[in-house]
Amino acid sequence: MSAPGGPSPRRPAFAPLAEETRAAMRRLMARYPNPRSALMSMLYLVQAEHGCVSEAGIEEVAGMLDLTKAEVASVATFYTMLKREPLGRYLVSVCTQPPCALAGAGSLRRALEEELGVGFGQTTPDGAITLEEVECVCVCDGAPAVQVNYESYEHLTPEAAVELVRKLRSGGAVPPPVHGSVPVPREAIHRELAGLGGHDPDRGGGES
Amino acid sequence: MKAAQTRVLTARWGDRGSHTIAASLASGGYEALRKALATPPAAVTEMVKVAGLRGRGGAGFPTGVKWGFIKRDEPPTYLVCNADEGEPGTFKDRELMERDPHQLIEGMVIASWAIGAAESYVYCRGEFAFAARRVERAISEAYERGTLGRNIFGSGFDHDVILHRGAGAYICGEETALLESLEGRRGQPRVRPPFPAQEGLYARPTVINNVETISCVPHIVANGPEWFRKFGTEKSPGTKIFSVSGDVERPGNYEVPFGTPARVLIEELAGGITGGRKLKAYTPGGASSTPVFGASKLDVNMDWESVQAAGSLLGTGAMMVFADDACVVRAMERFMRFYARESCGKCTPCREGTYWLAQIMRRLEAGQGRDEDLDLMMDVQANIGGRSFCALGDFATAPVISVAKEFVDEARLHIRNKGCPFER
């Protein structure tokens, strides 16, 4: 048990957000008639910088929006893409809904768990990959589907999935998905999710 | 006989670079907007009413009626495009945004003209990184070409579209939960009244329309409501994109007139069941259809009224197909777990009921079910349906009804067998 008010062993302390992050947050707040609409985007920026929605980030965002920490935390804990534990460099999300399950999502899951040595909701010790189960990502025509930092890979065999995470882990080049772009690491995708400009929509696969 | 699609909303999908404004303009894109801006707003709303356009997000509410509720002369009003597609088995809105985002933007500006909105929002599901990127780029192209921004086509009408990404929550597809989320809150549904048309986004009059619904609008304006009514049925006019998935040879999105028999979609367009197996079941409208259909319902016409008459719901038109060696109990158990996870927690019957139903269905699938579990599940679901603020609670009863009524023999087999008799 940690001392009251002290850092919890599972929630490491983080440095204050960079000034440029706070400036980006102010720009996002100005986008809306009510600055609170930028809250989720601001939490994505915290995640880009800290790897998760940290206590420190919640406190700073609350201060900027003139909300209580509890109000911000209530939002941070509601949405599945906002994480309270640090994410790996790549988040690998396996859909297990019926269309994917019928097409072999179960064996995909087992192959990935065996290769990575972690289960759903866990991160490899080297911090490279977080594995999770996801609800239908609406790529049922490409079942079984796996998302890597929200880029959808379709019709994956267990062998292809293992090959993909090996490359991601070793920092090697991965092929683009049929529809989408080569996944970018944690910080870049969360800046994009915050609404700070994406990478080239035509890069990688991106067929019409 | 080989069935063909009727391509209206998906007409550009085969074109090279169909997502670019160049491709859109080359095939008549934004001509409907030009026409709409030269037409009085009330007349545009009237066109959509006469066309009989109904919401494609699952509820089927008449779109023109929704627009007509807005008091246009009391700005600001808002249009919000619901792009939070998440109904299991559905993938039409994602592909509409990826392949033809300008069709959507054009529809949004026309709708905004009709309701007097100077600003509109696309609330895009967070997990749709690629679709959001395509929409984002399309928005900036539209500003460059002047189909968005100040004084569009010299009409004096100004309009801005803002892309907003969600953060992972199925419930935000419910329109008032979506508004809460867009205002930076937990996505929990609001009490109605007031309805969004009176107090919606930032407590201002707001219309929320689904991606596919808005994508129909340019075609209605360009070709007229009578043309639109040539497709589909009296009560379900137009075409519909059905997402066919599961045990079929060619899973995909297929656009056909409303009223097309399910058999045509599954056996002809999607190529039939894989591996020469037979059909056991299909969902007519995603996980939220009540209940799933068995093989005897293969000739149901896919329109709002026919699917309802046959005892289920058209929903989003997501047809998940199960072959005869697939386990319906397992699939329904997965749906139930989905509802338990996605229940926002606001209403006790839904929050607690889905949790317990997921437990019971899990033990049933695992072969540890008891005979009385079927009655118990029916009792629990009866205490969720109609007792929650939003439709998620009602939808969460669908898997139970499917198992305890339509596929009760299969459920009993699990109990007698003390295990799941199926491989998949």
Side-chain angles (χ1 to χ4, degrees), chain B residues 219-281:
Chain B
H219 303 285
I220 292 170
V221 170
N223 304 302
E226 292 75 24
W227 171 87
F228 190 75
R229 279 191 168 279
K230 285 199 304 195
F231 307 104
T233 68
E234 172 66 26
K235 288 182 178 160
S236 305
T239 59
K240 171 86 187 86
I241 303 174
F242 290 93
S243 304
V244 188
S245 69
D247 293 328
V248 289
E249 290 286 351
R250 290 188 298 275
N253 281 316
Y254 296 100
E255 183 177 13
V256 293
F258 271 111
T260 300
R263 186 187 292 280
V264 172
L265 281 150
I266 294 172
E267 292 187 350
E268 296 181 34
L269 291 168
I273 310 297
T274 49
R277 289 171 290 186
K278 286 190 162 49
L279 178 127
K280 180 194 273 186

Side-chain angles (χ1 to χ4, degrees), chain A residues 37 44 74 79 138 151 202, chain B residues 94 133 166 182 185-186 202:
Chain A
S37 284
Y44 275 135
S74 81
Y79 298 96
C138 303
E151 304 293 342
D202 284 331
Chain B
R94 176 185 56 75
R133 209 174 287 144
L182 188 46
R185 296 186 168 82
R186 293 163 76 84
Y202 309 125

Side-chain angles (χ1 to χ4, degrees), chain B residues 343-400:
Chain B
S343 171
C344 78
K346 179 169 178 148
C347 309
T348 309
C350 173
R351 182 187 65 237
E352 301 299 319
T354 54
Y355 170 82
W356 286 109
L357 285 173
Q359 307 295 313
I360 301 168
M361 289 186 77
R362 169 159 284 193
R363 89 175 167 220
L364 181 66
E365 166 61 14
Q368 292 152 2
R370 304 169 304 192
D371 284 328
E372 57 268 35
D373 281 349
L374 296 172
D375 288 340
L376 178 61
M377 289 197 311
M378 286 305 283
D379 184 45
V380 176
Q381 69 83 21
N383 282 291
I384 302 176
R387 287 170 163 80
S388 310
F389 275 109
C390 82
L392 189 141
D394 302 330
F395 293 157
T397 64
V400 175

